[in-house]
């Protein structure tokens, strides 16, 4: 799974403070592939770079989605990158997360795009898959370069899968990654451009396949940084998920509900007496772990850590963290 | 200060006659200022060895044969050589012609010499390949590594059985391992690597080879490096511009600039002066102006 990736900590000391995004600063990005070359081309050689990420619009958005898009936005600003954010309503449909293309299209249009605008993206940075003719043309163009056996090896096609899913996971997903470098798929006009993909580590096989295809087409193999997703409020070892509402803070929730959810969050499971005696366990506290994702200042995080270790009870800490989270989201106008 | 050179003394050296050698290829551009550091070092090192009772000869080889090997012997490369000879002469004049300057093409290497070292190509292929830039490997394989073999033989020939201390940049380590196979009375000596200035932190992150071995002190290398090297003909504003645009993460900045501080320190020791380095660019400009006498 990790083949070809390296730990970001091995190169972090090269990256000056002013070039560190929240993900780099707080070690939310742990691994990467080929980031050195991307930095070289964009910073030393001054080439126009691209950043690509995306979202499967299958359900309500939570603060984990917000954190990922915020990270993408930071990269685009710090490194002056053009943005490509596909909203994959076709994927939602073919993998069966929704019954109709309309549903996922509706979520993309009415929930995701407004959120992206609030973060700072322009409408040109985003597209809904089924609206994007060039993306489909690109997928058809590159599909010729992906063999069935490769797709089966990388994605594990099942005999019961519909052919839409097979086409999506291989050709469309790779097209989204390579599209900045494929100027005109119909006339086969290609232009190598440094491209950075911000994605979860589970998507690494796609990146490896995209890199292989890029080499075949004499394009730059895309760079990827692998981001850890925001932990679940009820289990620090799992990620926040829309399918488990109590694990997530949704962006359409009221201030009161957010506060309530944080107050019910898992904070390590120590008894009151034990906590007063030995302090809390920050590493097992889901509530504490969401702070870096929101870019809360290190000094503030350290203060909370100190209080926790000094035996301050979780109730007080959670109250404080709930207020920090609400203030952050309010300042960005993510919640009313 | 001479005592500081003790750490550069090869262990158990019995010989009294020593050759301290250095050399380099060239291109059409002016000498980088880094070259002065090597000459200053060798001059002071000679003084140190003499204080230990050794008889020392300093040799500098202009590797014209190597340049002709790669770019052909033509009008352009001959004009490069003429320019290099005049700049090296100016440098040597500053040192009272203390260095014996030789052209590699004047050192006779016969077919028999090559034949005698040909076994290297079978047994030490991997070391030979490391002496060659990746872009030239296939060409050199076809030529059976003639370029490297001739470079090695050049140093063997000039020493004529005497002890050789070869001064050079760290990237010559693979050459030196091969010389050691051919010559017992030999020690290499490496100065701090030469780093490019006027680069971003991303350059140093990407170019791990430069981080490890630096660049060649004796030539710019390619046009892209003209803005990244301080040349002996640069004016003070250009030097300031290049240094002030050196944006490396703070952990690496001292490492990149320290060879220049070394140069200033060596220079003022040579001139028997004490100077506090508060403006590196001004000091470097003064040095190149005085040493080369070109402005």
């Amino acid at each position: 799974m990790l083949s070809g990736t390296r730990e970001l900590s091995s190169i972090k000391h090269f990256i000056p403070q002013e070039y560190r995004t929240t993900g780099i600063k707080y070690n939310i990005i742990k691994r990467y592939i080929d980031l050195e070359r991307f930095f070289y081309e964009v910073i030393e050689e001054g080439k126009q770079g691209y950043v690509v990420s995306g979202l499967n619009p299958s359900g309500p958005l939570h603060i984990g989605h917000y954190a990922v898009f915020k990270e993408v936005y930071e990269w685009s600003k710090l490194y002056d990158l053009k943005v490509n954010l596909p909203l994959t309503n076709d994927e939602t449909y073919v993998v069966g997360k929704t019954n109709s293309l309309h549903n996922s299209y509706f979520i993309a249009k009415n929930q995701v795009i407004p959120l992206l605008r609030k973060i700072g993206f322009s409408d040109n940075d985003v597209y809904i898959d089924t609206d994007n003719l060039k993306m489909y043309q690109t997928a058809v163009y590159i599909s010729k370069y992906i063999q069935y056996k490769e797709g089966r090896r990388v994605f594990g096609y099942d005999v019961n899968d519909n052919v839409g899913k097979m086409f999506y996971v291989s050709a469309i997903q790779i097209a989204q990654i390579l599209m900045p470098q494929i100027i005109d798929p119909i006339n086969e006009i290609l232009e190598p451009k440094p491209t950075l993909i911000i994605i979860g580590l589970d998507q690494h096989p796609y990146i490896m396949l995209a890199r292989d295809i890029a080499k075949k087409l004499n394009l730059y193999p895309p760079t990827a940084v692998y981001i850890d997703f925001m932990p679940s409020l009820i289990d620090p070892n799992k990620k926040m998920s829309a399918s488990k509402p109590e694990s997530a803070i949704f962006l359409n929730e009221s201030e009161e509900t957010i506060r309530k959810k944080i107050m019910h969050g898992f904070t390590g499971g120590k008894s009151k007496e034990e906590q007063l005696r030995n302090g809390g366990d920050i590493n097992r506290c889901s509530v504490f772990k969401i702070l870096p994702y929101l870019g809360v200042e290190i000094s503030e995080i350290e203060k909370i850590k100190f209080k926790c270790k000094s035996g301050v009870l979780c109730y007080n800490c959670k109250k404080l963290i709930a207020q920090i989270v609400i203030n952050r989201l309010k300042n960005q106008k993510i919640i009313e | 200060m001479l005592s500081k050179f003790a750490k550069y003394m090869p262990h158990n050296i019995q010989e009294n006659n020593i050759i301290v050698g250095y050399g380099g290829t060239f291109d059409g551009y002016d000498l980088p200022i880094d070259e002065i550091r090597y000459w200053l070092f060798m001059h002071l090192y000679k003084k140190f060895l003499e204080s230990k009772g050794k008889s020392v000869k300093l040799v500098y080889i202009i590797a014209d044969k190597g340049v002709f090997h790669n770019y052909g012997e033509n009008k352009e490369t001959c004009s490069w050589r003429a320019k290099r000879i005049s700049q090296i002469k100016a440098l040597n004049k500053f040192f009272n012609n203390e260095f014996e300057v030789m052209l590699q093409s004047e050192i006779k290497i016969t077919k028999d010499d090559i034949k005698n070292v040909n076994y290297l190509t079978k047994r030490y292929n991997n070391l030979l390949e490391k002496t060659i830039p990746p872009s030239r490997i296939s060409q050199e394989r076809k030529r059976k590594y003639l370029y490297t073999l001739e470079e090695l033989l050049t140093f063997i020939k000039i020493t004529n059985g005497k002890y050789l201390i070869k001064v050079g940049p760290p990237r010559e380590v693979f050459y030196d391992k091969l010389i050691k196979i051919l010559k017992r009375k030999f020690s290499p000596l490496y100065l701090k690597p030469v780093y490019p200035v006027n680069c971003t932190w991303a350059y140093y992150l990407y170019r791990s080879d430069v981080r490890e071995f630096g660049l060649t002190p004796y030539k710019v290398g390619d046009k892209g490096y003209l803005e990244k090297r301080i040349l002996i003909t640069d004016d003070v504003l250009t030097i300031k511009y290049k240094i002030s645009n050196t944006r490396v993460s703070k952990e690496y900045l001292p490492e990149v600039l320290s060879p220049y501080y070394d140069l200033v320190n060596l220079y003022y020791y040579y001139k028997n002066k004490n100077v506090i380095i508060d403006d590196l660019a001004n000091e470097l400009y003064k040095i190149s102006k005085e040493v080369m006498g070109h402005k």
Side-chain angles (χ1 to χ4, degrees), chain A residues 56-60 88-90 92-93 96-112 128 130:
Chain A
N56 175 351
S58 58
T88 61
N89 66 320
D90 45 359
T92 320
Y93 176 69
K97 285 188 177 174
T98 181
N99 290 328
S100 72
L101 271 172
H102 174 263
N103 278 351
S104 51
Y105 189 88
F106 185 85
I107 294 172
K109 192 111 188 155
N110 296 301
Q111 289 185 26
V112 186
I128 300 175
T130 51

Side-chain angles (χ1 to χ4, degrees), chain B residues 182-277:
Chain B
L182 300 170
K183 185 173 169 65
R184 198 173 48 82
K185 294 182 197 172
F186 169 70
S187 289
L189 216 162
Y190 305 110
L191 300 195
K192 271 184 197 164
V194 165
Y195 294 112
V197 287
N198 200 12
C199 294
T200 63
W201 56 273
Y203 174 91
Y204 284 97
L205 170 60
Y206 183 59
R207 293 294 303 270
S208 56
D209 59 324
V210 174
R211 279 200 327 263
E212 191 176 357
F213 294 116
L215 302 170
T216 47
Y218 40 78
K219 66 177 177 185
V220 170
D222 74 58
K223 204 179 168 193
Y225 277 101
L226 275 177
E227 289 293 302
K228 293 181 169 64
R229 305 289 299 268
I230 298 172
L231 306 181
I232 47 138
T233 44
D234 280 346
D235 58 42
V236 69
L237 275 180
T238 307
I239 300 176
K240 272 186 185 164
Y241 165 79
K242 287 176 178 175
I243 290 180
S244 62
N245 272 303
T246 304
R247 299 261 181 272
V248 189
S249 67
K250 69 174 180 222
E251 289 85 345
Y252 275 85
L253 192 59
E255 202 171 312
V256 171
L257 291 181
S258 75
Y260 295 110
Y261 284 105
D262 276 3
L263 166 58
V264 177
N265 283 330
L266 284 169
Y267 179 74
Y268 286 114
Y269 175 71
Y270 172 83
K271 300 293 278 183
N272 206 11
K273 278 188 200 169
N274 273 321
V275 167
I276 296 165
I277 303 165

Side-chain angles (χ1 to χ4, degrees), chain A residues 24-41:
Chain A
I24 298 173
K25 215 184 293 177
Y26 293 96
N27 303 322
I28 295 166
I29 295 168
K30 292 212 169 60
R31 302 194 78 84
Y32 70 92
I33 184 161
D34 219 6
L35 190 55
E36 297 91 339
R37 189 177 50 79
F38 179 82
F39 281 145
Y40 181 81
E41 280 155 0

Side-chain angles (χ1 to χ4, degrees), chain A residues 2 4 31 36 72-73 80 83 86 95 144-145 156 175 188 197 199 210 220 224 229 234 239 263-264 267 322 329 334:
Chain A
L2 300 175
R31 302 194 78 84
E36 297 91 339
V72 175
Y73 187 72
D80 196 20
V83 182
V95 302
K144 213 176 79 176
Y145 296 91
E188 299 190 19
I197 320 297
I199 210 162
Y220 287 155
F229 292 117
I234 50 172
K239 65 177 186 179
M263 295 309 287
H264 282 104
T267 50
L329 296 174
I334 302 297

Side-chain angles (χ1 to χ4, degrees), chain A residues 56-74:
Chain A
N56 175 351
S58 58
L61 298 172
H62 53 67
I63 58 168
H65 297 122
Y66 161 73
V68 173
F69 284 128
K70 194 92 177 55
E71 179 69 19
V72 175
Y73 187 72
E74 281 183 40

Side-chain angles (χ1 to χ4, degrees), chain A residues 109-151:
Chain A
K109 192 111 188 155
N110 296 301
Q111 289 185 26
V112 186
I113 292 179
L115 167 71
L116 296 175
R117 285 189 193 128
K118 283 178 187 170
I119 290 174
F121 292 108
S122 88
D123 286 358
N124 294 332
D125 298 335
V126 192
Y127 61 88
I128 300 175
D129 271 5
T130 51
D131 280 348
N132 195 324
L133 177 63
K134 187 196 157 191
M135 197 275 294
Y136 268 86
Q137 289 172 340
T138 307
V140 174
Y141 170 62
I142 63 163
S143 65
K144 213 176 79 176
Y145 296 91
I146 305 166
Q147 291 179 324
Y148 174 79
K149 64 178 179 193
E150 264 177 322

Side-chain angles (χ1 to χ4, degrees), chain A residues 21 29 62 65-66 81 120 146 167 187 192 195 197 216 222 259 261 275 290 295 299 305 311 316 324:
Chain A
T21 62
I29 295 168
H62 53 67
H65 297 122
Y66 161 73
L81 307 174
I146 305 166
F167 186 69
N187 296 303
T195 311
I197 320 297
K216 283 181 196 169
R259 213 181 291 278
K261 277 188 168 175
Q275 181 118 347
I290 63 176
S299 58
K305 205 190 264 186
N316 297 317
I324 291 173

